[in-house]
Amino acid sequence: MVVPVIDFSKLDGAERAETLAQIANGCEEWGFFQLVNHGIPLELLERVKKVCSDCYRLREAGFRASEPVRTLEALVDAERRGEEVAPVDDLDWEDIFYIHDGCQWPSDPPAFKETMREYRAELRKLAERVMEAMDENLGLDRGTVKAAFSGDGQHEPFFGTKVSHYPPCPRPDLITGLRAHTDAGGVILLFQDDKVGGLEVLKDGQWTDVQPLAGAIVVNTGDQIEVLSNGRYRSAWHRVLPMRDGNRRSIASFYNPANEATISPAAVATSGGEAYPKYVFGDYMDVYAKQKFQAKEPRFEAVKAAAPKSSPAA
C-alpha cells in the first residue's frame, strides 16, 4: 500500500473533479495524503529545511542531556550488567519546540523568524484551500469548516507549528520515536524529511510508510475533522519509528479550531443521525492532553459526558 500522492495544481484545471475525488479518498480511506505542486515555492521549502536544521544543531547538546537519552543509556547499562530490560513505552526519542503567533520564537539562526513567518503564511493558505476542497466533497457551503473553526468568525482559529528532529537512535528496539496517536485538531500539514523515513500510518490494521517525497506536503485529518464530517473522514493513527542512521526533520503545522469554537457534526446531513457529541474545542483539548496516546473514542465520550445539559423548557 502507498499513501496517496495528489497533484494539487490540477484542482484548478480540467481535472478538478478527479482531483477532488482523490482528496476525498485520501480523507476517507487513509486520513493521510501527500500534495505535490501545492503552490509553495520549492526555494522557500529549501530555506525552511536549512533554518530548522541549523536550529537543531544549536539544540543538539541539550537533546544529548535529555530524559529520553538518559533513560536509554540507563537501559543499555542495565542490559550490559545482565539485567532484563523492557522497552520504554512512555517517552519519545525526539527534540521538539513549538512556534505560533503568541510565543517566543528562536532568534538564532538569524534567518529563522523571517523564513518561518513566510512559510507559515503559505501553509495557512494551503490549509484553507484543503478545507474548501473538504467542504465541496462533503456537500457543504464553501467556508463551512473554516467557519466552524472560528466560531462563525467570532474567534481566530489556532495555527501552530511543531519543529521536530529525531536524531540517530542507537537502540530503536528500546524506545519509540513518537508514540502512536491521532491528532487532536483539524488539518495538519507536514513538511517531512525527504531522505530519512520513519513516519507510519495505520491503514486496515497494517502500519504503512508515509514515503519521503521531495517537495511534498503531507496532509492528515485530525479528530475535529472526523467529528465535523460525522465520521466520513477519519483521523488516522500514526507514529514515528526511531532510526539508527539519519537525523529526521519534521515540521508539522496544525490548523485547529479556536479554543472557544463549538464543534459538532450538525453541518453534515446524514440519515443515521449524529454519531459524535457537540462540545467546545478547549474542553476536548483538556481531555486530549491526558489521553493523547490512548484510544480516541473515550475522548469523545468524555466531552459528551462533560457537556452542559440543556435547561428544560419553561
Side-chain angles (χ1 to χ4, degrees):
M1 294 189 291
V2 178
V3 174
V5 177
I6 301 170
D7 185 339
F8 202 57
S9 67
K10 294 182 178 180
L11 194 64
D12 298 322
E15 298 178 54
R16 178 178 179 81
E18 180 182 346
T19 306
L20 283 168
Q22 291 172 346
I23 293 171
N25 173 263
C27 293
E28 294 173 12
E29 299 298 326
W30 285 86
F32 265 76
F33 53 92
Q34 300 207 56
L35 295 181
V36 295
N37 297 323
H38 39 62
I40 300 175
L42 295 181
E43 177 273 333
L44 174 57
L45 295 181
E46 288 299 316
R47 283 192 281 130
V48 169
K49 287 163 59 173
K50 184 177 187 309
V51 297
C52 288
S53 294
D54 289 348
C55 196
Y56 172 70
R57 279 191 281 272
L58 298 171
R59 299 169 55 87
E60 190 171 3
F63 176 77
R64 289 199 298 268
S66 68
E67 183 179 0
V69 174
R70 295 197 308 271
T71 299
L72 184 60
E73 289 175 343
L75 287 176
V76 172
D77 287 343
E79 191 177 63
R80 287 175 182 150
R81 295 192 298 269
E83 300 175 18
E84 186 174 343
V85 300
V88 178
D89 61 3
D90 61 352
L91 281 176
D92 300 313
W93 187 265
E94 64 172 350
D95 175 81
I96 60 171
F97 64 93
Y98 294 89
I99 56 174
H100 53 82
D101 291 343
C103 75
Q104 185 73 33
W105 293 26
S107 56
D108 199 7
F112 182 87
K113 289 183 179 180
E114 178 184 352
T115 299
M116 294 305 290
R117 283 196 186 100
E118 185 179 348
Y119 171 72
R120 278 169 42 85
E122 293 288 340
L123 257 288
R124 186 172 185 132
K125 290 187 290 186
L126 179 60
E128 291 178 349
R129 290 196 66 203
V130 170
M131 291 192 294
E132 288 175 358
M134 291 178 178
D135 289 332
E136 190 167 345
N137 280 330
L138 291 168
L140 305 174
D141 292 337
R142 182 176 180 177
T144 296
V145 172
K146 181 179 178 181
F149 282 11
S150 66
D152 287 326
Q154 298 182 68
H155 310 286
E156 184 69 20
F158 177 80
F159 190 72
T161 299
K162 174 187 173 185
V163 180
S164 308
H165 276 82
Y166 301 89
C169 180
R171 289 294 303 274
D173 56 316
L174 291 179
I175 197 167
T176 57
L178 177 60
R179 286 164 281 175
H181 64 286
T182 66
D183 287 328
V187 175
I188 299 87
L189 302 102
L190 170 68
F191 181 35
Q192 71 165 342
D193 203 294
D194 55 8
K195 293 183 175 64
V196 183
L199 176 61
E200 295 184 332
V201 58
L202 189 63
K203 166 77 164 122
D204 298 332
Q206 177 180 338
W207 287 105
T208 300
D209 290 336
V210 182
Q211 64 275 18
L213 184 61
I217 297 293
V218 180
V219 178
N220 72 282
T221 50
D223 294 346
Q224 307 316 305
I225 293 295
E226 178 170 328
V227 172
L228 287 170
S229 69
N230 204 29
R232 183 169 163 185
Y233 296 166
R234 306 287 289 184
S235 60
W237 285 88
H238 53 285
R239 67 185 184 185
V240 177
L241 301 180
M243 311 295 278
R244 286 187 181 274
D245 301 311
N247 182 13
R248 175 181 167 80
R249 179 190 58 256
S250 172
I251 306 156
S253 295
F254 306 82
Y255 195 116
N256 289 355
N259 275 343
E260 303 85 353
T262 298
I263 303 298
S264 80
V268 180
T270 63
S271 57
E274 295 181 10
Y276 298 83
K278 178 179 181 179
Y279 54 83
V280 174
F281 178 63
D283 293 340
Y284 185 83
M285 286 303 296
D286 289 341
V287 173
Y288 182 86
K290 302 180 184 72
Q291 302 180 14
K292 175 177 179 177
F293 301 108
Q294 302 172 25
K296 60 184 170 181
E297 289 77 14
R299 301 198 289 258
F300 297 128
E301 287 301 313
V303 287
K304 178 180 180 180
K309 302 294 188 294
S310 300
S311 301

